[in-house]
Coordinates of all heavy atoms in Angstrom, one line a residue:
P285 N 30.7 -40.9 39.8 CA 30.5 -40.6 38.4 C 29.3 -41.4 37.9 O 29.0 -42.5 38.2 CB 31.8 -41.0 37.7 CG 32.8 -41.0 38.8 CD 32.1 -41.4 40.1
I286 N 28.6 -40.8 36.9 CA 27.5 -41.4 36.2 C 27.6 -41.2 34.7 O 28.3 -40.3 34.3 CB 26.1 -40.9 36.7 CG1 26.0 -39.4 36.4 CG2 25.8 -41.2 38.1 CD1 24.6 -38.8 36.6
A287 N 27.0 -42.1 33.9 CA 27.1 -42.0 32.5 C 26.2 -40.8 32.0 O 25.2 -40.5 32.6 CB 26.6 -43.3 31.8
N288 N 26.6 -40.2 30.9 CA 25.9 -39.0 30.4 C 24.4 -39.4 30.0 O 23.5 -38.6 30.1 CB 26.6 -38.5 29.2 CG 27.9 -37.8 29.5 OD1 28.1 -37.4 30.6 ND2 28.9 -37.9 28.6
D289 N 24.2 -40.6 29.5 CA 22.9 -41.0 29.1 C 22.0 -41.5 30.2 O 20.9 -41.9 30.0 CB 22.9 -42.1 28.0 CG 23.6 -43.3 28.5 OD1 24.1 -43.3 29.6 OD2 23.6 -44.4 27.7
E290 N 22.4 -41.3 31.5 CA 21.6 -41.7 32.6 C 21.1 -40.5 33.3 O 20.5 -40.7 34.4 CB 22.5 -42.6 33.5 CG 22.7 -44.0 33.0 CD 22.8 -45.1 34.1 OE1 22.5 -44.8 35.2 OE2 23.2 -46.2 33.7
N291 N 21.2 -39.4 32.8 CA 20.7 -38.2 33.4 C 20.0 -37.3 32.4 O 20.4 -36.1 32.3 CB 21.8 -37.4 34.2 CG 21.2 -36.3 35.0 OD1 20.0 -36.3 35.4 ND2 22.0 -35.3 35.2
P292 N 19.0 -37.8 31.6 CA 18.4 -36.9 30.6 C 17.5 -35.9 31.3 O 17.1 -36.1 32.5 CB 17.5 -37.9 29.8 CG 17.3 -39.0 30.7 CD 18.5 -39.2 31.6
A293 N 17.2 -34.8 30.6 CA 16.4 -33.8 31.2 C 15.0 -34.3 31.4 O 14.4 -34.0 32.5 CB 16.3 -32.6 30.2
A294 N 14.4 -35.1 30.5 CA 13.0 -35.5 30.6 C 12.9 -37.0 31.1 O 13.8 -37.8 30.7 CB 12.3 -35.4 29.2
T295 N 12.0 -37.3 31.9 CA 11.7 -38.7 32.3 C 11.4 -39.5 31.1 O 11.8 -40.6 31.0 CB 10.6 -38.7 33.4 OG1 11.0 -37.9 34.5 CG2 10.4 -40.1 33.9
M296 N 10.5 -39.0 30.3 CA 10.2 -39.7 29.0 C 9.9 -38.5 28.0 O 8.9 -37.8 28.1 CB 9.0 -40.6 29.1 CG 8.6 -41.4 27.9 SD 7.3 -42.6 28.1 CE 5.9 -41.5 28.2
E297 N 10.8 -38.4 27.0 CA 10.7 -37.3 26.1 C 9.6 -37.5 25.1 O 9.6 -38.5 24.4 CB 12.0 -37.0 25.4 CG 12.0 -35.8 24.6 CD 13.4 -35.5 23.9 OE1 14.3 -36.3 24.1 OE2 13.5 -34.5 23.1
L298 N 8.7 -36.6 25.0 CA 7.6 -36.7 24.1 C 7.7 -35.6 23.0 O 8.1 -34.5 23.2 CB 6.2 -36.5 24.8 CG 6.0 -37.6 25.8 CD1 5.0 -37.2 26.9 CD2 5.4 -38.9 25.1
V299 N 7.4 -36.0 21.8 CA 7.4 -35.1 20.6 C 6.0 -34.8 20.2 O 5.1 -35.6 20.0 CB 8.2 -35.8 19.4 CG1 8.2 -34.8 18.2 CG2 9.6 -36.2 19.8
V300 N 5.7 -33.5 20.1 CA 4.4 -33.0 19.6 C 4.7 -32.2 18.3 O 5.5 -31.2 18.4 CB 3.8 -32.1 20.7 CG1 2.4 -31.7 20.2 CG2 3.6 -32.9 22.0
S301 N 4.1 -32.5 17.2 CA 4.3 -31.9 16.0 C 3.1 -31.8 15.1 O 2.1 -32.5 15.4 CB 5.4 -32.6 15.2 OG 5.0 -33.9 14.9
D302 N 3.2 -31.0 14.1 CA 2.0 -30.8 13.1 C 2.0 -31.9 12.1 O 1.0 -32.1 11.5 CB 2.1 -29.5 12.4 CG 2.0 -28.3 13.4 OD1 1.2 -28.5 14.4 OD2 2.6 -27.3 13.2
S303 N 3.1 -32.6 11.9 CA 3.1 -33.7 10.9 C 3.5 -35.0 11.6 O 4.1 -35.0 12.7 CB 4.1 -33.4 9.8 OG 5.4 -33.2 10.4
D304 N 3.1 -36.2 11.0 CA 3.4 -37.5 11.6 C 4.9 -37.7 11.6 O 5.5 -37.8 10.5 CB 2.6 -38.5 10.8 CG 2.6 -39.9 11.6 OD1 3.2 -39.9 12.7 OD2 2.0 -40.8 11.0
P305 N 5.5 -37.9 12.8 CA 7.0 -38.2 12.8 C 7.3 -39.6 12.2 O 6.8 -40.6 12.7 CB 7.4 -38.1 14.2 CG 6.1 -38.3 15.0 CD 5.0 -37.9 14.1
D306 N 8.0 -39.6 11.0 CA 8.2 -40.9 10.3 C 9.0 -41.9 11.1 O 8.8 -43.1 10.9 CB 8.9 -40.8 8.9 CG 9.2 -39.4 8.5 OD1 8.6 -38.5 9.1 OD2 9.9 -39.2 7.5
K307 N 10.0 -41.5 11.9 CA 10.9 -42.4 12.5 C 10.4 -42.8 13.9 O 11.1 -43.6 14.6 CB 12.3 -41.8 12.6 CG 12.9 -41.5 11.3 CD 14.3 -41.0 11.4 CE 15.0 -40.8 10.0 NZ 16.4 -40.2 10.1
A308 N 9.3 -42.4 14.4 CA 8.8 -42.7 15.7 C 8.3 -44.1 15.7 O 7.7 -44.6 14.7 CB 7.7 -41.8 16.1
D309 N 8.5 -44.9 16.8 CA 8.0 -46.2 16.9 C 6.5 -46.2 17.0 O 5.8 -47.2 16.5 CB 8.5 -46.9 18.2 CG 10.0 -47.1 18.2 OD1 10.6 -46.9 17.1 OD2 10.6 -47.4 19.3
L310 N 5.9 -45.2 17.5 CA 4.5 -45.1 17.8 C 4.0 -43.7 17.8 O 4.7 -42.9 18.4 CB 4.1 -45.9 19.1 CG 2.7 -46.1 19.4 CD1 2.1 -47.2 18.5 CD2 2.5 -46.5 20.9
S311 N 2.9 -43.4 17.2 CA 2.4 -42.0 17.3 C 0.9 -42.0 17.2 O 0.3 -43.0 16.7 CB 3.0 -41.1 16.1 OG 2.5 -41.6 14.9
I312 N 0.3 -40.9 17.7 CA -1.2 -40.8 17.7 C -1.5 -39.4 17.3 O -0.7 -38.5 17.4 CB -1.8 -41.2 19.0 CG1 -1.3 -40.3 20.2 CG2 -1.7 -42.6 19.3 CD1 -2.2 -39.2 20.6
Y313 N -2.7 -39.2 16.8 CA -3.2 -37.9 16.4 C -4.3 -37.4 17.4 O -5.3 -38.1 17.5 CB -3.7 -37.9 15.0 CG -4.1 -36.5 14.4 CD1 -3.2 -35.6 14.0 CD2 -5.5 -36.2 14.4 CE1 -3.6 -34.3 13.6 CE2 -5.9 -34.9 13.9 CZ -4.9 -34.0 13.5 OH -5.3 -32.8 13.0
S314 N -4.0 -36.3 18.0 CA -5.0 -35.9 19.0 C -4.9 -34.4 19.2 O -3.8 -33.8 19.1 CB -4.7 -36.5 20.4 OG -5.5 -36.0 21.4
H315 N -6.1 -33.7 19.3 CA -6.2 -32.3 19.5 C -5.5 -31.5 18.4 O -4.8 -30.5 18.6 CB -5.6 -31.9 20.9 CG -6.4 -32.5 22.0 ND1 -6.0 -33.8 22.5 CD2 -7.4 -32.1 22.8 CE1 -6.8 -34.1 23.5 NE2 -7.7 -33.1 23.7

């Protein structure tokens, strides 16, 4: 058995949006 949070779909989940995500630790504007 393994914990549910040890098998996420993404290796590192990235968010791409049209507006600056307020709750993100770090964001950049590109393209």
Side-chain angles (χ1 to χ4, degrees):
I286 59 170
N288 292 331
D289 60 351
E290 289 213 8
N291 186 26
T295 303
M296 184 173 74
E297 187 178 358
L298 296 158
V299 177
V300 183
S301 62
D302 294 327
S303 58
D304 192 1
D306 358 345
K307 296 185 179 179
D309 293 351
L310 188 73
S311 66
I312 58 103
Y313 184 75
S314 177
H315 300 84

